[in-house]
Amino acid sequence: MNNSLIEMTAIEIKELAVVEPKQASEKFELAAMTMSDEQLAEVIENIDIVTLTQINGQHDISFPSILSELMTPERIRDIVCQQPLYWEEAIKNNADELQQHTFDFLNYLIRTQESEAKQAEILECIAEDPAGLFYLSIPFIEFYRGDRFEEDEGYHDPLHAEEEDLEEALSYSDRQLSENAHDYALDDPRSLLMLIREQAPEVEKAIKALLRSENSTWDGIINKFATELVMQAKEKNKVEEDEYGDVDDMFSFLD
């Protein structure tokens, strides 16, 4: 297959994405039936980040994706940092939904990868970008924000207790055994956190340090991180502020 056909396939996918991102995703899956992984990777390189973000955002994340599996860590990082511009109203206006959505999207992008080495490379690449680290941290705010409440016998730190449980789980060399032993299903953020700790421990340390440097409440931290993510995505794309409206209004669930 020559370069012109690869370019034509990329153009067709981009044109479909303008009308219906799901159809663009289906087009890529069809192309995967006749192209090699190397050729598909070239197609991906001919598709801009905005289009890739739209396609991945419309993919049913309960199923693996050939597209996300073949993307480079750098492309995945850029998609993670771009995605906040495409958050739906139901996500933007609800802190719980925002936390769940960021976890689901990360879980899909990272667990799609067959190689643990690539999982680690993706995590490290995302964490190198300040916006990427914000995004990585949102699903784990509950574990690391450091809240404490007073009891008759002194202070109790439920998050510290949760962290100790995670540390115990990680004492197992096999990640899946530790997840099963502690009943952490793949749709549980603690399962993804254990994967990060095992595959990219420096990334987990960076997440912990970022969250523990915040003195705000749980929803206050989400507000700050979400606003920063949107602002940085706009800056990277050099988009006029008024095209997307007032960022403060996007997070009315925190008012």
Side-chain angles (χ1 to χ4, degrees):
M1 185 172 294
N2 57 35
N3 290 337
S4 62
L5 193 49
I6 289 173
E7 291 173 1
M8 286 177 56
T9 303
I11 290 171
E12 289 178 8
I13 290 172
K14 287 188 284 187
E15 289 176 346
L16 280 172
V18 174
V19 180
E20 178 51 65
K22 287 184 180 180
Q23 292 182 14
S25 179
E26 291 171 0
K27 173 65 179 179
F28 188 87
E29 297 288 334
L30 287 173
M33 298 175 66
T34 57
M35 292 185 180
S36 67
D37 287 353
E38 291 76 14
Q39 292 165 337
L40 290 170
E42 287 188 53
V43 171
I44 292 172
E45 287 303 311
N46 278 275
I47 301 175
D48 60 278
I49 290 298
V50 170
T51 302
L52 288 175
T53 303
Q54 292 171 328
I55 294 173
N56 277 276
Q58 291 296 317
H59 180 77
D60 183 348
I61 60 177
S62 62
F63 293 94
S65 165
I66 297 175
L67 179 64
S68 62
E69 183 181 343
L70 292 176
M71 286 189 297
T72 64
E74 291 76 18
R75 299 289 261 182
I76 291 175
R77 174 203 60 207
D78 291 344
I79 286 172
V80 166
C81 295
Q82 172 83 22
Q83 198 216 18
L85 293 179
Y86 300 91
W87 283 335
E88 298 175 359
E89 291 300 320
I91 294 170
K92 293 187 293 188
N93 297 323
N94 186 295
D96 290 322
E97 288 290 334
L98 186 58
Q99 186 177 43
Q100 183 66 45
H101 176 76
T102 51
F103 161 68
D104 288 340
F105 196 58
L106 288 169
N107 210 29
Y108 151 69
L109 288 174
I110 295 168
R111 290 193 183 277
T112 295
Q113 314 303 325
E114 294 184 355
S115 164
E116 291 184 350
K118 188 176 179 184
Q119 288 179 340
E121 191 176 355
I122 291 168
L123 288 164
E124 290 165 359
C125 188
I126 294 174
E128 288 174 357
D129 188 295
L133 186 57
F134 282 135
Y135 199 108
L136 277 174
S137 300
I138 288 177
F140 311 119
I141 291 174
E142 289 182 81
F143 306 125
Y144 289 141
R145 63 191 174 98
D147 285 0
R148 306 199 314 171
F149 61 88
E150 190 172 4
E151 293 180 326
D152 293 338
E153 298 179 357
Y155 283 98
H156 175 64
D157 186 346
L159 299 178
H160 179 66
E162 184 75 53
E163 186 178 347
E164 285 184 334
D165 187 44
L166 287 166
E167 292 285 2
E168 180 184 351
L170 282 172
S171 65
Y172 294 90
S173 58
D174 185 272
R175 184 175 69 255
Q176 190 62 52
L177 284 177
S178 69
E179 289 169 352
N180 291 340
H182 288 261
D183 297 322
Y184 294 156
L186 296 182
D187 61 356
D188 187 326
R190 290 171 293 187
S191 176
L192 180 60
L193 182 56
M194 286 192 290
L195 182 151
I196 295 172
R197 283 186 168 186
E198 185 171 272
Q199 302 299 333
E202 293 304 313
V203 172
E204 191 273 334
K205 290 177 183 177
I207 291 171
K208 182 192 297 186
L210 175 62
L211 290 175
R212 291 194 166 167
S213 68
E214 297 292 330
N215 296 319
S216 183
T217 60
W218 173 80
D219 57 352
I221 295 172
I222 289 184
N223 180 31
K224 175 182 176 180
F225 286 10
T227 301
E228 284 289 338
L229 279 163
V230 173
M231 294 295 289
Q232 291 189 38
K234 288 182 180 181
E235 183 178 339
K236 288 175 182 177
N237 287 281
K238 300 186 180 349
V239 176
E240 291 297 327
E241 190 78 19
D242 57 2
E243 183 176 345
Y244 290 93
D246 189 349
V247 174
D248 292 336
D249 292 339
M250 293 173 64
F251 303 102
S252 57
F253 65 88
L254 299 169
D255 292 340

